[in-house]
């Protein structure tokens, strides 16, 4: 493995940082985050070590769904700035070595979009078939209703034209019909437009909904994804599609393009995420270990995207009802902490009650799991949520830069939490000066992760630890090996690991000083603190650990 090759496929060991421009930093003092404010903080993001920024929607919108209801795919929400501000942001990010991807929300538009207004103007409208209409909609399946607290159907009657239109999400978000070639061409133009302005790819919102809910049905829905990927590769080699595909592994693999890898470049590992939370709730490694053992390998040059928390609810929909209740009891016992009966609307630090030792262990786990880590803004300082906000908005709060907030000189667009997670207790400025802070821990984890391409590129093996609370795995690539162990419980543990092929090797700690030797029969004994974590690089005793990495090959 050469660094030149890993650089070509940059996303396989990237560090992706998701942020909402509206809530990150206000640059003009009106209380709303904007591109000028974001640009001012590019050096903070580069210093943190992230390599790719993922921007939540920044397009013009009536803002009924936090920007996911779009009225113009070719412009910027005026509250967030202008196209000129966007270009200046892209120029600055590129100068600091940061790639940028953005949300591609083309499953639907706002009902205020000019396309839909034209479509609903009459059945003979030129854009009538840009959306999905029906005289007699199919009977509703309750499982199809994504937001059961707001909607009881996925069809809405339009009195003006006397038909029903499909909306997989809210009724003010009519579904686009990608079965129409004109719509598919328009989506490609949208991608091409933003790639010309510097984007390296897109996070594709709700991929299954995008290609399945169309009329007429596409003969081969996945050909559309393959066509988009091919279009992007022709325009800009190295560009990516990051897919939101919350399906069981066996059903998800087709979104990679099965063995070809010619559709979605990366997919979020929702199964691994949900099993990880079950492990954290039980203080047992078993659920996550089983997910890692079951997870299929993605096609060559594709990758899994790993996360513990994102901008939506923490969905637990792929667990059993009993398993969900275990997680609710551990991390969100109050009904106002739960949402849709299937998830939580809390951030990780509050779920752990602010226990820094446990929080640091959880993020160490995230960065060491095989795949590309994706983090949500504010996770690096341990921000909480504001449960007074409605629904998923609880976690989408203003970034906390200083003790007085630091987000804006005006009243912020949304309220920040109070109590132990308020800005006067959780902020960037204080943690920059504290060497034991969560921010400094994130910087260390990112630095070590980038120094260990084995974790993202290597062949991983879940190890037998002999203790239910300890998860251990090894990643091997081109003769180099990294071994990682995490103790999920609050008591110290000593575990013995069998490391075939590493007999008489020395394991060097990467997060703290220290070494441990592997015996002649390939066994190593690892002490672990309560909620402790260890990253170790394997090397023969005569070779310095820094020379045993795939970096040197």
């Amino acid at each position: 493995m050469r660094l030149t090759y890993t650089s070509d496929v940059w996303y396989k060991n990237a560090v992706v940082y998701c942020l909402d421009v509206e809530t990150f930093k206000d640059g003009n003092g009106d209380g709303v985050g904007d591109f000028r404010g974001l640009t001012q903080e590019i050096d903070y993001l580069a210093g943190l070590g992230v390599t790719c920024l993922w921007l939540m929607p920044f397009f013009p919108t009536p803002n009924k769904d936090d920007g996911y209801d779009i009225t113009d795919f070719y412009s910027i929400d005026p509250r967030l700035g202008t196209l000129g501000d966007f270009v200046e942001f892209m120029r600055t990010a590129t100068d600091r070595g940061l790639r940028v991807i953005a949300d591609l929300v083309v499953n639907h538009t706002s009902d205020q979009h000019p396309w839909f207004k034209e479509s609903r103007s009459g059945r003979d409208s030129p854009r009538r078939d840009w959306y999905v209409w029906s005289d007699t909609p199919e009977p509703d399946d309750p499982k199809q209703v994504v937001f059961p607290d707001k909607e009881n159907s996925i069809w809405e009657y339009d009195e003006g034209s006397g038909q029903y239109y499909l909306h997989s999400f809210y009724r003010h978000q009519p579904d686009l019909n990608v079965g129409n070639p004109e719509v598919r061409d328009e989506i490609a133009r949208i991608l091409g437009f933003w790639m010309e302005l510097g984007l390296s790819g897109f996070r594709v919102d709700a991929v299954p909904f995008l290609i399945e809910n169309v009329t007429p049905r596409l003969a081969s829905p996945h050909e559309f994804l393959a066509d988009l990927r091919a279009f992007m590769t022709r325009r800009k080699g190295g560009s990516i599609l990051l897919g939101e595909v919350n399906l069981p592994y066996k059903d998800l693999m087709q979104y990679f393009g099965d063995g070809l890898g010619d559709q979605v470049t990366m997919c979020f590992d929702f199964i691994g995420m949900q099993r990880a939370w079950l492990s954290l709730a039980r203080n047992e490694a078993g659920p996550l270990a089983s997910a890692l053992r079951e997870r299929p390998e993605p096609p060559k040059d594709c990758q899994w995207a790993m996360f513990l928390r994102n901008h939506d609810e923490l969905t637990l929909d792929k667990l059993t009802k009993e398993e969900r209740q275990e997680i609710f009891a551990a991390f969100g016992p109050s009904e106002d902490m739960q949402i849709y009966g299937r998830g939580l609307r809390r951030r990780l630090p509050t779920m752990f009650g602010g226990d820094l030792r446990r929080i640091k262990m959880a993020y160490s786990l995230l960065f060491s799991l095989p795949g590309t880590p994706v983090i949500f803004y504010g996770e690096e300082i341990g921000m909480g949520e504001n449960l007074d906000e409605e629904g998923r908005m609880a976690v989408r709060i203003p970034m906390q830069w200083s003790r007085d907030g630091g987000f804006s000189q005006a009243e912020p667009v949304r309220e920040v939490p109070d109590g132990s997670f308020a800005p006067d207790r959780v902020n960037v400025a204080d943690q920059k000066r504290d060497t034991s802070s969560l921010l400094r821990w994130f910087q260390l984890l990112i630095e070590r992760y980038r120094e260990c391409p084995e974790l993202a590129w290597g062949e991983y093996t879940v190890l037998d630890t002999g203790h239910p609370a300890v998860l251990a795995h090894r990643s091997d690539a081109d003769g180099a090996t990294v071994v990682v162990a995490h103790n999920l419980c609050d008591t110290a543990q000593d575990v013995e690991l069998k490391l075939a092929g590493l007999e008489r090797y020395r394991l060097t700690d990467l997060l703290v000083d220290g070494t441990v030797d592997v015996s002649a029969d390939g066994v190593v004994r690892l002490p672990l603190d309560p909620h402790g974590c260890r990253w170790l690089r394997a090397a023969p005793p005569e070779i310095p650990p820094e020379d045993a990495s795939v970096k040197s090959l």
Side-chain angles (χ1 to χ4, degrees):
M1 183 193 302
R2 301 187 307 274
L3 274 181
T4 50
Y5 178 55
T6 63
S7 179
D8 290 339
V9 197
W10 60 270
Y11 49 86
K12 292 199 73 168
N13 68 329
V15 177
V16 182
Y17 186 98
C18 173
L19 65 88
D20 187 354
V21 177
E22 181 181 3
T23 55
F24 197 66
K25 186 65 179 286
D26 174 16
N28 63 3
D30 65 355
V32 179
D34 48 42
F35 277 104
R36 290 187 181 184
L38 172 57
T39 305
Q40 292 170 14
E41 299 299 341
I42 288 293
D43 282 336
Y44 164 76
L45 295 165
L48 182 61
V50 300
T51 63
C52 177
L53 304 182
W54 156 21
L55 304 183
M56 292 168 63
F58 49 77
F59 312 100
T61 171
N63 217 24
K64 292 183 178 180
D65 185 24
D66 197 27
Y68 284 87
D69 48 329
I70 296 168
T71 57
D72 183 357
F73 290 100
Y74 295 99
S75 190
I76 302 289
D77 183 341
R79 300 175 309 138
L80 310 184
T82 66
L83 277 173
D85 293 327
F86 176 83
V87 170
E88 286 191 338
F89 153 73
M90 284 299 311
R91 171 68 183 87
T92 308
T94 301
D95 179 68
R96 302 307 196 271
L98 296 175
R99 295 178 184 266
V100 182
I101 65 174
D103 264 320
L104 181 68
V105 188
V106 288
N107 163 260
H108 55 257
T109 69
S110 165
D111 60 4
Q112 301 303 305
H113 196 293
W115 299 343
F116 187 67
K117 288 182 177 181
E118 183 177 342
S119 178
R120 75 191 312 180
S121 64
R123 297 194 185 194
D124 58 351
S125 165
R127 284 203 168 95
R128 184 67 173 179
D129 291 335
W130 280 44
Y131 295 84
V132 182
W133 295 92
S134 176
D135 290 323
T136 54
E138 300 172 8
D140 283 315
D141 179 351
K143 294 180 181 178
Q144 292 178 299
V145 179
V146 176
F147 303 124
D149 63 330
K150 298 293 184 182
E151 304 289 350
N152 55 19
S153 172
I154 59 173
W155 293 95
E156 181 72 8
Y157 185 68
D158 178 55
E159 292 185 2
S161 59
Q163 283 187 309
Y164 295 83
Y165 63 83
L166 179 68
H167 60 90
S168 297
F169 297 92
Y170 296 111
R171 68 188 66 187
H172 59 77
Q173 294 170 328
D175 281 17
L176 281 166
N177 178 19
V178 299
N180 185 333
E182 292 181 357
V183 173
R184 296 197 297 273
D185 288 346
E186 189 66 29
I187 291 173
R189 277 190 285 271
I190 293 168
L191 269 64
F193 176 83
W194 292 105
M195 290 171 68
E196 286 298 313
L197 295 182
L199 291 188
S200 293
F202 304 87
R203 174 260 186 186
V204 190
D205 187 55
V207 185
F209 292 96
L210 172 64
I211 65 174
E212 297 293 346
N213 293 357
V214 299
T215 300
R217 297 284 181 182
L218 290 171
S220 180
H222 288 270
E223 283 187 6
F224 174 47
L225 292 179
D227 288 345
L228 282 183
R229 177 80 177 276
F231 169 83
M232 292 174 63
T233 301
R234 290 193 301 270
R235 287 288 179 95
K236 188 175 185 178
S239 57
I240 68 165
L241 291 174
L242 170 57
E244 182 189 35
V245 186
N246 182 11
L247 293 173
Y249 289 136
K250 62 182 179 61
D251 300 322
L252 180 148
M253 293 304 291
Q254 62 184 320
Y255 288 85
F256 278 126
D258 292 315
L260 297 177
D262 62 347
Q263 296 181 34
V264 174
T265 322
M266 302 171 68
C267 280
F268 288 104
D269 185 359
F270 278 92
I271 303 300
M273 178 274 290
Q274 296 182 46
R275 299 273 191 88
W277 279 106
L278 187 58
S279 282
L280 292 167
R282 292 178 176 176
N283 297 325
E284 294 180 358
L288 177 54
S290 66
L292 293 174
R293 290 187 174 109
E294 295 165 9
R295 191 177 75 175
E297 283 292 315
K300 187 177 186 293
D301 290 348
C302 291
Q303 181 63 300
W304 292 105
M306 308 303 296
F307 68 109
L308 288 176
R309 200 63 187 87
N310 64 9
H311 62 295
D312 283 329
E313 77 273 13
L314 196 164
T315 184
L316 305 169
D317 65 319
K318 296 300 183 289
L319 301 177
T320 67
K321 182 178 180 180
E322 292 73 23
E323 291 169 339
R324 280 196 294 274
Q325 290 303 320
E326 286 185 63
I327 297 175
F328 287 165
F331 299 124
S334 174
E335 190 170 326
D336 71 334
M337 300 172 179
Q338 303 165 18
I339 186 169
Y340 311 137
R342 64 173 185 250
L344 292 166
R345 58 192 204 102
R346 308 190 74 195
R347 282 178 173 253
L348 184 149
T350 56
M351 293 166 70
F352 287 148
D355 184 343
L356 190 57
R357 180 178 57 180
R358 200 175 184 194
I359 293 167
K360 286 183 174 182
M361 181 274 294
Y363 286 121
S364 169
L365 182 66
L366 169 64
F367 278 95
S368 64
L369 289 174
T372 297
V374 181
I375 56 178
F376 188 42
Y377 76 97
E379 284 195 280
E380 73 274 17
I381 58 171
M383 276 170 46
E385 70 278 344
N386 181 7
L387 294 176
D388 291 335
E389 294 281 356
E390 183 178 2
R392 298 174 297 170
M393 303 299 284
V395 302
R396 303 177 187 178
I397 57 175
M399 183 67 177
Q400 297 171 191
W401 294 101
S402 60
R403 292 186 180 184
D404 61 358
F407 166 74
S408 175
Q409 295 178 351
E411 187 72 20
V413 63
R414 295 186 201 130
E415 292 185 6
V416 297
D418 54 17
S420 57
F421 291 90
D424 62 342
R425 299 191 181 188
V426 177
N427 64 76
V428 171
D430 285 348
Q431 293 195 27
K432 279 185 174 181
R433 295 187 290 267
D434 181 359
T435 57
S436 63
S437 69
L438 184 59
L439 177 62
R440 293 306 187 192
W441 179 247
F442 259 80
Q443 289 176 315
L444 176 63
L445 290 175
I446 292 173
E447 183 178 278
R448 294 295 180 264
Y449 168 77
R450 294 286 292 173
E451 291 172 354
C452 297
E454 299 91 341
L455 293 174
W457 285 80
E459 178 180 346
Y460 70 89
T461 306
V462 179
L463 302 172
D464 181 11
T465 67
H467 195 284
V470 179
L471 177 73
H473 68 279
R474 61 182 287 178
S475 295
D476 299 274
D478 290 346
T481 301
V482 173
V483 178
V484 181
H486 289 86
N487 179 12
L488 305 187
C489 74
D490 58 3
T491 58
Q493 303 295 333
D494 286 348
V495 297
E496 287 190 354
L497 305 178
K498 180 69 175 177
L499 300 175
L502 301 182
E503 294 82 3
R504 294 191 174 91
Y505 270 52
R506 175 161 292 163
L507 303 182
T508 300
D509 277 286
L510 300 178
L511 302 180
V512 296
D513 289 335
T515 61
V516 61
D517 292 329
V518 183
S519 68
D521 56 355
V523 175
V524 65
R525 177 178 170 274
L526 283 184
L528 289 166
D529 293 333
H531 296 303
C533 51
R534 297 185 73 173
W535 296 23
L536 305 119
R537 175 169 297 290
E542 67 276 10
I543 296 179
E546 58 272 17
D547 291 340
S549 167
V550 296
K551 293 186 302 179
S552 61
L553 300 179

